Amino acid sequence: MSIRVLVADDQEIVRTGLTMILDAQPDIEVVGEAADGWRAVQLARRLRPDVCLFDIRMPGLDGIEATRSLAGPGVQDPLAVVVITTFDLDEYVYAALRAGARGFLLKNAGAGLLSQAVHAAANGDALIAPSVTARLLGTFARTVPATPPVRPIEALTAREEQILATVARGRTNSEIADEMHISLSTVKSHIASLMAKLGARNRVEIAMWAYETNRVKN
């Protein structure tokens, strides 16, 4: 079955480009497009796509609020949202991740990484683009959060601390397995444990927590 995607960006040329790239994938189908946040939320609630791909800066309702409406902490049956943005011009990605976004990409990420992000989000995972992880999360982690970082319900093990650092640096499960010489199932088990201990919904929130608690240095 195809992964159904909703694309929202206020620039028609960007929407067209993203749609062409995604529709060219054999198992991805763009089922809707929106030029503003309000329309994006309306379409998402009606179409229930597997993944929403949202720009941050959109008229009416920006990508942050649109993400919070569809994937925020209080939303029942949240949708998977991936934020796509131009980092050098946009300093709101961290807020979007806090609002529930499952991943983020730069607009020049390329077709391969875009496809990976959509697949990851559709599978309940999250992709953190390695090229921007430290720069992005590290920058915004230096801002004072609205609330202090959560305290783990149970202390992290030494191995979990190692896994935490690799996730925060944008490593995929396969890369972590190869780097640490452990099985893929073991990596997934450690990440599941981290999510449980931190109350995180996905690996993006794990990464943010790592930066907020100064466990990863730039």
Side-chain angles (χ1 to χ4, degrees), residues 45 48 64-79 97-101 199 201 205:
R45 286 174 173 165
R48 300 297 298 178
I64 296 172
E65 291 305 319
T67 298
R68 184 175 291 112
S69 297
L70 300 171
V75 176
Q76 292 188 350
D77 195 17
L79 293 173
L97 296 178
R98 283 210 164 278
R201 292 171 295 174
E205 294 187 354

Side-chain angles (χ1 to χ4, degrees), residues 131-218:
S131 62
V132 297
T133 299
R135 180 181 175 187
L136 180 64
L137 292 177
T139 296
F140 292 109
R142 287 193 291 272
T143 65
V144 180
T147 58
V150 300
R151 295 176 62 90
I153 60 174
E154 182 182 340
L156 305 188
T157 66
R159 178 60 91 181
E160 287 170 347
E161 290 281 4
Q162 293 174 334
I163 298 289
L164 175 74
T166 59
V167 169
R169 292 190 179 97
R171 301 293 191 270
T172 65
N173 286 355
S174 295
E175 289 170 340
I176 295 171
D178 292 341
E179 185 177 319
M180 295 191 169
H181 307 290
I182 56 179
S183 69
L184 191 60
S185 61
T186 298
V187 174
K188 292 179 179 179
S189 177
H190 283 308
I191 291 178
S193 179
L194 283 169
M195 290 173 62
K197 288 183 177 182
L198 302 177
R201 292 171 295 174
N202 52 57
R203 67 197 299 130
V204 174
E205 294 187 354
I206 291 175
M208 288 195 297
W209 187 84
Y211 280 95
E212 288 176 347
T213 55
N214 298 314
R215 280 169 161 78
V216 179
K217 304 297 182 182
N218 296 329

Side-chain angles (χ1 to χ4, degrees), residues 80-147:
V81 179
V82 173
V83 169
I84 185 165
T85 186
T86 304
F87 173 73
D88 288 333
L89 301 176
D90 198 325
E91 299 185 350
Y92 303 108
V93 180
Y94 188 68
L97 296 178
R98 283 210 164 278
R102 190 169 284 176
F104 63 83
L105 291 174
L106 295 181
K107 287 186 177 178
N108 63 357
L113 202 56
L114 177 62
S115 176
Q116 288 179 44
V118 169
H119 280 93
N123 291 330
D125 204 343
L127 184 143
I128 305 172
S131 62
V132 297
T133 299
R135 180 181 175 187
L136 180 64
L137 292 177
T139 296
F140 292 109
R142 287 193 291 272
T143 65
V144 180
T147 58

